[in-house]
Amino acid sequence: MRNFFYVLIAIQCFAHSNLHAQNYAVYNSYYINPYLYNPAEAASEYTHIFVNHRQQWMNIEGAPVLTTVNFNTLLNETRAGIGMKATSFKRGLLTSTDFTLTYAYGIPLNEKNLLFFGLSGGALSSTIDITNVDPNDPAIASYLSNNIQPAANFGMLFRAASGINLGVALPQLFSPKYNSTANFENTSVSPLDNIILSASFKRKVEGKITTRNRKGVRSKVKTKESNAPLEFYTLYKFSKSGNSQFEVMAKLNLSQNFWLGASYRQAYVFTGSLGLTVNKFLLSYSYEPGNQPEPAFSKGTHEIQLGIRLGPARKFKRVAPVFRSTLKAQNEQHSARFQHKEEDPDEIHEQHQQSVKKKYYVVIRMFPDFPLADAYKKKLIEQKFNANIFYNEKDKKYYVHVFETMKSAEAHEEARNLKNYTKLKEARVLTITIKE
């Protein structure tokens, strides 16, 4: 059994001119690092560097050993992403090393859904361990000196704000040829020999406003955005050679820093995984029992992945919305007196009382005197905003606003849009209680 893989790979490499079987790398940590399978995932929210190492079928000589280093990021305030991946894949006598560069581009389908395309290109180099074969064989000598072939893959990804992601990847646009006698001898395009279909559900939970007591002082703070407790992933790997495979995986986030996972790969075994994050570092581990392809075949398969997140979240450039604050002129009110109460968007509850109504204003700035407020209002009008002024008798301040409505959702949406797509980063909602 110890020479099982040497014999198998030697037969595959030298008895056939082409190898059509599924021969791309297999990963358990794709749910953390989806760029491993799909180049469209290069345009990720954060910049990541990952190192992945997989030792398959421990205690079996010549068993597959896979090491991958990859980098990917969305270019901030654009729709493009870039990536890089380098892989060393050793199985038996054969060691393949590939290096590819990736370009990905996203198209907004609407305000919440995106469609990404990704293309990778590079080269694949393969070598044979001549210590286990006859080095005098002329076919071997010729092969070892001419072993570079083209490598490329393509992917598409649908990403929804609801957390649903659907992807399709073509991992080998060129069918690999490991026993070539000349560089780039194989240039035939065969993208449909292997296809990876993916679906996942990973929902983000927005931060909430909570009240905290520090040294006797109560204050309201907003918690950070987090992942939902449960995540689900599925893969279907189609192979023209006939060894297609289906895989399902579930991830349980016990906290924002620790998770457990379990998966099942068709005609194989269950896999367990766990991971943790510490500041910007990520570590994950997975284990497959050693009962495949037969009971007690090996001591199992181990995979470990280390990642680091660089910098803040990147922003995808979306189509600027239509601003309500520029649609129609509003009546000027320079000296209106009112009672007001500022409310946080996450704590607003519509109240329907007979004698009380609420009006919502998108306020940009407030000033201590009217001339300053009026000058700023004129500046906003020059920028095509419907700016007006309100005077608050309670705090003796002049408020410059650009939009007013009886609907809180409209006001908060307009404030978010102004902060995200214009230079009016100070936009906020002011709630006015009107007593009739």
Side-chain angles (χ1 to χ4, degrees), residues 8-278:
L8 176 62
I9 297 301
I11 292 174
Q12 289 179 330
C13 288
F14 306 116
H16 302 284
S17 61
N18 287 287
L19 186 63
H20 294 291
Q22 175 178 309
N23 202 62
Y24 54 83
V26 175
Y27 299 95
N28 290 328
S29 304
Y30 66 89
Y31 65 97
I32 297 296
N33 185 11
Y35 173 61
L36 290 171
Y37 279 146
N38 194 335
E41 295 276 7
S44 58
E45 182 181 7
Y46 288 93
T47 300
H48 281 115
I49 297 177
F50 285 104
V51 178
N52 182 290
H53 182 74
R54 177 182 173 88
Q55 178 72 59
Q56 189 166 330
W57 299 331
M58 297 290 290
N59 202 42
I60 299 297
E61 186 176 1
V65 178
L66 173 66
T67 302
T68 303
V69 178
N70 70 273
F71 159 86
N72 63 284
T73 182
L74 173 70
L75 300 178
N76 197 34
E77 299 290 354
T78 73
R79 298 177 183 174
I82 57 173
M84 176 278 294
K85 184 170 68 171
T87 301
S88 175
F89 191 10
K90 179 177 175 59
R91 55 265 195 229
L93 303 178
L94 178 65
T95 299
S96 300
T97 302
D98 67 85
F99 178 84
T100 56
L101 297 175
T102 302
Y103 179 80
Y105 189 81
I107 300 174
L109 301 179
N110 50 44
E111 291 185 4
K112 296 184 177 180
N113 303 321
L114 303 170
L115 181 63
F116 289 90
F117 299 87
L119 180 65
S120 297
L124 169 69
S125 173
S126 298
T127 58
I128 297 296
D129 184 0
I130 61 175
T131 62
N132 292 278
V133 296
D134 182 5
N136 297 320
D137 189 326
I140 298 296
S142 176
Y143 172 75
L144 291 175
S145 61
N146 301 279
N147 61 357
I148 299 177
Q149 301 297 328
N153 54 70
F154 173 79
M156 297 173 58
L157 173 69
F158 170 78
R159 185 180 294 165
S162 62
I164 296 176
N165 297 280
L166 303 174
V168 57
L170 308 178
Q172 293 175 333
L173 298 185
F174 300 99
S175 181
K177 189 175 182 180
Y178 298 107
N179 59 341
S180 60
T181 58
N183 289 333
F184 297 99
E185 182 183 46
N186 177 36
T187 56
S188 61
V189 179
S190 53
L192 302 182
D193 284 358
N194 295 285
I195 303 174
I196 301 177
L197 303 176
S198 64
S200 65
F201 177 76
K202 181 180 180 180
R203 186 171 62 89
K204 292 284 188 179
V205 179
E206 293 186 2
K208 296 182 178 180
I209 299 297
T210 60
T211 302
R212 294 182 180 178
N213 195 325
R214 293 182 179 179
K215 297 181 179 181
V217 178
R218 298 182 64 186
S219 60
K220 294 181 179 180
V221 296
K222 188 172 184 178
T223 59
K224 294 182 179 180
E225 184 182 61
S226 60
N227 294 324
L230 278 175
E231 301 174 17
F232 301 96
Y233 302 83
T234 62
L235 286 177
Y236 179 70
K237 302 173 184 176
F238 167 80
S239 177
K240 186 178 179 180
S241 64
N243 56 338
S244 301
Q245 200 171 57
F246 179 75
E247 184 174 347
V248 294
M249 193 271 178
K251 176 172 176 272
L252 174 63
N253 295 312
L254 299 178
S255 71
Q256 294 307 305
N257 298 314
F258 182 74
W259 71 85
L260 298 175
S263 65
Y264 173 75
R265 189 175 298 136
Q266 183 182 4
Y268 202 71
V269 293
F270 286 96
T271 299
S273 62
L274 56 85
L276 59 89
T277 57
V278 179

Side-chain angles (χ1 to χ4, degrees), residues 394-413:
K394 184 176 180 180
D395 61 6
K396 311 298 183 182
K397 302 290 185 182
Y398 294 88
Y399 290 78
V400 179
H401 69 93
V402 294
F403 180 67
E404 61 183 77
T405 179
M406 301 300 291
K407 298 180 180 180
S408 65
E410 288 185 354
H412 287 97
E413 180 183 46

